[in-house]
Structures are given as C-alpha cells and as structure tokens.
Amino acid sequence: MKKFDKKNMDRRNFLKGSLAAGASTLVMPSLFGNGFSQIKGSADLVVRNAKVTTIDPNIPSAEAFAIKDGRYYRVGSNNTVSELIGRNTKVIDAKNHRIIPGLNDSHTHGVREGLHYGLELRWDWVSSVEEALAMLAEEVRHTPKGQWIRVVGGFSWEQFKEKRMPTLEEINKVAPDHPVYIFYLYAYGMLNRKAVEVLNYDNEPIDLYYKGRIEKDRYGRATGIITAAPSGLIMYKTLTKLPAKSKEQQILGTRHFMNEMNVLGLTSISDAGGGGMQYPDAYDVIGDVHKQGLSTVRVGIHTFPQVGGREYDDYKKWIGMIKPGDGDDMYRFIGGGENIAWAAYDYEIFAQERPNLESNVKEVAMPIYKLLAENNWPWRQHITYNESAEILLSIYEEVAAAGDGTLPKGTFIDHGETFSEKTLERIAKLNMGVAIQNRIAYQAEDFVKRYGAAKLAQTPPIKKMLKMGIPVGGGTDATRVSSYNPWYSIHWLATGQSRGGRQMYGEDNILTREEALKLWTTGSAWFTGDEGRKGAIKEGQLADFTILNQDVMEVPDALIPRTHAKLTAVGGNVVHAYDAFERYAPAPLLEVAPDWSPLYRTGDFRKLYLS
C-alpha cells in the first residue's frame, strides 16, 4: 500500500511541478493584451509568403506571422513581420501554401493507441474487400508464426466497393496458421479458426463477458464472431488477451503515433480514456514521454472507471490524487469521463436496437455527479441517444440546483447523435458543450435501415447546436471506432457525406470548410479549458500551425480527405516536415517496434502520403 501511495504522490507532484513551470504561459494572453507591444526584440520564427486561414474573426486571413516564446507575436502581411526578423530569427518561406492552426481532436483515444501502435494493420483508407484481404495476406507472409494479426477499427464495410465485410471463410483461407482478430466498430469482432483455438473460445461460455456473446454453432463450437449485446466488453477483453509491447516499445510507439498525428496536421487532442485505461497506471507511458520532453502533441486526459460498481470509490480516490488543471500546456489533467458510471452508458451501435440505461442509473450516478460537482471536477459523459440524455440531464439539473445552479465549468457531453431541440435547450441552459464526431459516417446505412433517412439528416444536429450558442468541438472517436485521420471528419462536416458516399445531410446541417475548421481548432479548445489560448493564429495564442500539402479551401470535396501536413509546428517548434520543408525536420525517430510491424509494409497515413 505504501508503494502505491508514493507512486501516486510522485505523479501528482510531477504534474504540479509541470503546472508551475508552465504558469507564465497561462497568463500570457492578459500580458499581451491586443498584441505584443510590451514585448521587445526580434522573433524566434517568421513564416511568410503564405495563404493563412487564421480562424480569428478580426483578421480572418494573412500572408505572414511571427512567433516568440512559443506564441504568436504578430500576424499580418509580409511587411508587418519583416521588421521582427533578427540575426537569430528562423525564417520559413511557405511558398504560397495554405496554413491553418494546428488541429485539435476533442474526442479520441490516442493515449491508448500509442501503447499498441505498430501492432495493428489499418484499413482506414482501403476501398475494397479485395484490397483488405490482399493486405492481410501480405501480413501473413511477414508476421512470425504465433504472432497475432489484428485490425482494430477505423474502417466501415460501407467504404468497401463490395458493400460488405470480408467473410470468415475468406479470412481463414488467407490466414490459416496465424491468429487473426478484426475489430469492427464496437459492434462485433471476427476471429479466424486459429484465433478461436488460441483463445480456447470453443470451451468458453457464450456469455463469458457481461452483455456480450461468443456466437456458437449447433455443435457448440465458436463460429469466430463475438458480438456486443450491447456492451463491447467482450471485444475489449479479447484484445487484452493478445500480446502487449514492452514499456520501452510503448514509449517509442507513442512517439511514432504522435508523429503520425503531426503528419495529419494534429497538434492537440482531448483524450477520453477508454477500456483498459485505468488511471494512473495506464498513463505511465504518456507521462514518461512528457517528462522527457518528447511530446509533439498537446494532450488533455480524463479518468475512466473500468469496473461497474466501483466507480464512486474510484472517483473519490482520484479526487485525492489529482485535480483539474494539474499539468502544463503539453500534458494536462482535465476531469472525469467519458465514462462516469456504467449504468449511464448507452453505447452506439446503430445496427442494433437502442439500449436502455440501467433502471438504477439515478441511484448509481447521482452520488458520483454530486461528488464531482462538490470538488469542482468537470466531466464528460458519453451519451448517444436523446432518450438517454433526457434521463441524465434531469440528474444534472438536480445536481446543479443543489449547488449554485451551475455545473463545473467545462462539463460536456460526447456524441449526441439523436438529440432533440428541447434537449439542446437544456444543455445550453446548463452551459455545457457537445463534442461531436464523424462516427455516424461509418454507420449511415445501418442507421437508415433502423431509423430512416429523414432522421439521419439531423444526426447529429450540428447547426442547431451552433445556432443555440452551445460550444461544439470536432473529433473522431478514434481509433477503434473511426479513423484518427481528422480530414475524414472535416470532409463529413463540410459535405454531409458518409464514408460510403451517402449524402446524409442537406444544406441545413452542412458547414462551410472554414466553419468545419473552426470546430476543429477554436471549437475544440473549449473542451480542455483552452478557449482563447489556442486554436487561432492570433497574437498571444499558442503557436501551433500546419502548412498543408494542398489548399483545403479550394480543392474539390472528394480531395479533402487527402489533405495532410508538409510541416507542423507546436509552440513554434517544427515537429514534422518533408518535401520542400524537409530541412526544418527534426531528427528521425528510431524504427518502430516490433521489427515485423505492419507499418513496414501497408503502413499508416505517414507512409501512404509521404512515400
């Protein structure tokens, strides 16, 4: 017990120390006022000859900017920044490329992905079952016997031209001797015969895990399909049975995944915890990366209780260990969620019947929400369906009424696909936000079959949220549901199209490209308490930006998902660069582990775009 307490105290002291070290940055905007008139001297970095989309309504576009001490120093024309170029100023000629603020995913599970990065085969961009199976066959040729081949989310059958998933027969034919696990959304998993044998699922009960099923044939043998019913616990638990990396490999994998995010223009994420992410132990790796000064993505984290019935005790323990705001601009603790209590979780598989919250949800959840509110802990709550929101908002309103009428600042809801206007009005009254993701774009056809195309047209009701003044952040819900590529989400927001090409929305629920970028920059900043501090290329804000490979404001709709970064900078420091900007690139990372990783062949977006 003493060892555990010391570990927790060390972690809290480290976070508090980081916060103290970053304290000057927290008050920078007030010191700078409307500009840097109080700051003297030349800039650290000047970027000029650019087409800059600033996301600052006062100066919506520019051709140059200067950076000093990690923040924007001046934004305007080439001439206005030229006087700030000194002997030691680094100058980047943007060569008329489009520049935007660094993107910020308001809902992802990137910390968890870093622990597994390099082990997974990704089908995020694959357009056919034929190609997917060919990639699987390639892994069979290179993966050592006994090692697993795993495809863990980020794709939909709707994106395949065949409009179906690979069959178990096809998978078994391609991979007879390697265990294969294909994780599809949070709906079901596919295990080939070798995987079933390794896991001994022939001899496990059908209901091995709560609200999940191991499907069996009439002879009692596992078919290879494991199904959420409606909980995906069986899918999480199956993943935990697979070999994991060493901590050293996880640290390197986390750095590689951060670099992969930088390639896509991401500079910040709000991490929603997730299955297997028990605080504090699951955060040792990201903590070590941060402590060593190796992070290239700003990360906000949340606590996520793993075991039903223990949630209150978990939160009470965590409140004694850490508080919201602990950390610094690169790694900060935000609050609780996206799971507060399992009784309040409504899942999101639209091919299945809508699940009901547990009948005792108020009895279980109310004490936790009160505990969080009394300790000024903001929380995020996974809510998919309007029916669930109606129940949980009543609890929120009761908690708020017991205090000063408000909830902790920064409390918000994740997802909100089928929310009604009345529900949105209640959310607005509580000053809550909604973090939305493009996960519906991966399930559009399943949704239409169950609820109809008319319902899909407002799923989620994005423009209604914005019209009511509700803070809205853009995100993905990567990596086990949708792809971590932010440009699929931005394409969805700006076109209303699904991954399968269905026109989901009319003009009343489609954003302009700049509006979509705003959700992914200043919009998402609200969800980590960074409103006004990052997200815009604006004097005084954190200097995170990306130089794009194409002009995303001008290219045809179909090319939006092909957008990526030729250069990405965090706090004015270049963390990724290639092609014409390669001379600014940082030193390359060590090769990803293991040495048979799928990344060496089929790769990731970095390999897809930069090769």
Side-chain angles (χ1 to χ4, degrees):
M1 186 67 184
K2 280 187 176 180
K3 185 176 181 182
F4 180 79
D5 287 342
K6 183 179 186 300
K7 184 177 182 182
N8 291 340
M9 186 57 69
D10 287 346
R11 180 176 287 100
R12 183 171 183 181
N13 286 341
F14 165 65
L15 282 170
K16 290 174 86 173
S18 297
L19 182 62
S24 62
T25 66
L26 294 179
V27 297
M28 281 261 189
S30 61
L31 288 176
F32 295 151
N34 294 323
F36 270 65
S37 58
Q38 298 93 337
I39 306 298
K40 305 299 181 182
S42 58
D44 299 326
L45 173 68
V46 163
V47 180
R48 57 188 181 184
N49 300 323
K51 293 185 288 188
V52 184
T53 297
T54 66
I55 313 296
D56 174 8
N58 297 317
I59 308 176
S61 62
E63 63 177 354
F65 52 82
I67 294 167
K68 188 177 180 67
D69 297 332
R71 292 177 178 266
Y72 292 110
Y73 191 176
R74 190 171 298 172
V75 181
S77 67
N78 287 328
N79 287 337
T80 61
V81 302
S82 61
E83 65 188 62
L84 301 175
I85 299 174
R87 181 181 302 174
N88 297 316
T89 302
K90 182 185 292 184
V91 179
I92 295 177
D93 182 350
K95 303 181 187 301
N96 205 37
H97 280 76
R98 177 69 62 181
I99 297 181
I100 62 170
L103 299 176
N104 183 349
D105 192 331
S106 66
H107 184 116
T108 186
H109 300 272
V111 174
R112 182 176 62 193
E113 179 62 21
L115 305 179
H116 307 285
Y117 192 66
L119 292 176
E120 299 170 0
L121 174 64
R122 304 293 303 186
W123 286 347
D124 300 38
W125 59 88
V126 177
S127 60
S128 70
V129 170
E130 180 182 19
E131 183 181 359
L133 290 170
M135 292 169 71
L136 185 59
E138 184 73 4
E139 292 315 302
V140 168
R141 287 191 285 273
H142 291 90
T143 304
K145 288 289 178 68
Q147 294 288 350
W148 283 75
I149 300 172
R150 53 190 104 182
V151 182
V152 187
F155 71 97
S156 168
W157 64 263
E158 295 181 26
Q159 75 197 51
F160 297 151
K161 67 180 182 182
E162 298 89 346
K163 299 302 178 186
R164 66 172 178 85
M165 283 286 284
T167 66
L168 281 170
E169 181 181 9
E170 289 170 329
I171 295 166
N172 280 313
K173 184 176 180 180
V174 169
D177 301 317
H178 288 77
V180 175
Y181 182 23
I182 298 174
F183 188 114
Y184 184 69
L185 303 172
Y186 281 117
Y188 59 87
M190 303 179 75
L191 299 162
N192 71 342
R193 176 39 49 183
K194 186 67 175 180
V196 169
E197 292 171 2
V198 171
L199 295 169
N200 195 33
Y201 274 5
D202 281 334
N203 298 312
E204 295 287 6
I206 288 174
D207 55 351
L208 176 63
Y209 295 112
Y210 182 65
K211 291 188 177 180
R213 290 178 56 84
I214 300 174
E215 291 193 4
K216 300 287 184 92
D217 63 20
R218 60 179 178 168
Y219 303 108
R221 294 202 327 162
T223 64
I225 299 294
I226 54 176
T227 308
S231 167
L233 185 62
I234 188 170
M235 298 167 67
Y236 311 147
K237 290 293 188 180
T238 300
L239 273 176
T240 65
K241 296 174 184 288
L242 276 56
K245 289 182 167 188
S246 67
K247 184 175 180 181
E248 183 180 53
Q249 291 176 332
Q250 289 176 338
I251 288 173
L252 181 59
T254 294
R255 295 184 65 196
H256 271 279
F257 186 54
M258 284 185 170
N259 179 245
E260 168 78 345
M261 288 190 276
N262 297 150
V263 167
L264 294 167
L266 282 156
T267 57
S268 294
I269 62 171
S270 176
D271 191 272
M277 297 302 292
Q278 179 70 24
Y279 186 83
D281 294 337
Y283 296 84
D284 280 346
V285 168
I286 188 68
D288 283 353
V289 171
H290 172 250
K291 186 161 52 176
Q292 295 173 46
L294 301 174
S295 296
T296 61
V297 173
R298 304 184 192 277
V299 179
I301 65 168
H302 295 76
T303 52
F304 186 117
Q306 301 295 308
V307 180
R310 290 201 338 222
E311 301 99 330
Y312 182 88
D313 291 338
D314 278 341
Y315 277 111
K316 191 170 183 180
K317 177 178 67 178
W318 294 331
I319 285 169
M321 293 168 55
I322 194 168
K323 67 179 185 299
D326 279 355
D328 60 21
D329 286 332
M330 292 304 296
Y331 183 49
R332 181 177 294 126
F333 180 69
I334 308 301
E338 68 177 295
N339 183 27
I340 301 301
W342 287 101
Y345 216 79
D346 67 358
Y347 309 100
E348 73 281 344
I349 305 306
F350 298 115
Q352 297 179 2
E353 185 178 350
R354 177 183 62 81
N356 292 313
L357 302 184
E358 300 286 349
S359 59
N360 64 341
V361 60
K362 183 173 182 178
E363 176 187 344
V364 171
M366 176 71 86
I368 303 173
Y369 292 131
K370 283 185 175 179
L371 177 69
L372 296 175
E374 288 165 0
N375 287 276
N376 201 28
W377 265 49
W379 66 82
R380 63 190 306 162
Q381 173 75 57
H382 165 116
I383 310 178
T384 300
Y385 296 97
N386 192 69
E387 291 83 353
S388 305
E390 289 176 336
I391 294 168
L392 293 175
L393 283 170
S394 294
I395 302 175
Y396 292 176
E397 289 160 350
E398 193 171 331
V399 170
D404 63 1
T406 65
L407 297 175
K409 185 178 180 181
T411 297
F412 64 96
I413 291 170
D414 285 302
H415 314 312
E417 275 87 356
T418 68
F419 286 6
S420 68
E421 286 194 45
K422 184 176 180 181
T423 290
L424 296 180
E425 289 167 0
R426 296 170 73 185
I427 290 169
K429 189 174 181 180
L430 287 167
N431 295 318
M432 300 174 71
V434 181
I436 61 170
Q437 305 82 41
N438 60 317
R439 62 184 194 168
I440 184 63
Y442 289 74
Q443 303 183 65
E445 301 304 328
D446 287 333
F447 188 95
V448 167
K449 287 177 185 176
R450 185 166 293 276
Y451 300 106
K455 183 79 169 177
L456 179 67
Q458 291 292 322
T459 303
I462 305 164
K463 278 203 169 180
K464 290 179 181 178
M465 295 176 188
L466 294 171
K467 187 176 181 180
M468 292 183 185
I470 295 170
V472 179
T476 59
D477 203 4
T479 57
R480 294 180 181 174
V481 175
S482 55
S483 174
Y484 53 83
N485 183 344
W487 297 101
Y488 288 146
S489 178
I490 291 167
H491 176 266
W492 160 71
L493 290 168
T495 67
Q497 293 175 8
S498 73
R499 290 287 283 121
R502 172 183 279 270
Q503 188 61 47
M504 300 165 63
Y505 311 142
E507 290 301 318
D508 62 340
N509 205 33
I510 294 175
L511 306 183
T512 66
R513 297 186 191 188
E514 186 155 349
E515 288 171 334
L517 287 174
K518 185 176 179 181
L519 260 60
W520 267 87
T521 51
T522 54
S524 291
W526 183 92
F527 293 81
T528 50
D530 290 308
E531 186 178 16
R533 300 188 63 248
K534 68 181 180 183
I537 298 177
K538 181 178 182 180
E539 293 175 11
Q541 291 205 17
L542 294 168
D544 305 339
F545 67 89
T546 183
I547 302 177
L548 301 178
N549 69 307
Q550 61 182 2
D551 190 342
V552 74
M553 308 305 288
E554 302 289 343
V555 297
D557 287 346
L559 292 183
I560 293 175
R562 297 289 301 180
T563 307
H564 59 275
K566 287 204 168 187
L567 182 147
T568 300
V570 177
N573 295 313
V574 176
V575 294
H576 155 72
Y578 86 106
D579 197 30
F581 305 98
E582 189 169 4
R583 66 192 180 99
Y584 303 109
L589 297 173
L590 295 175
E591 293 293 335
V592 72
D595 59 9
W596 47 265
S597 168
L599 296 181
Y600 289 107
R601 290 168 296 281
T602 49
D604 49 16
F605 287 98
R606 174 175 43 185
K607 188 175 183 70
L608 186 69
Y609 289 159
L610 308 188
S611 58

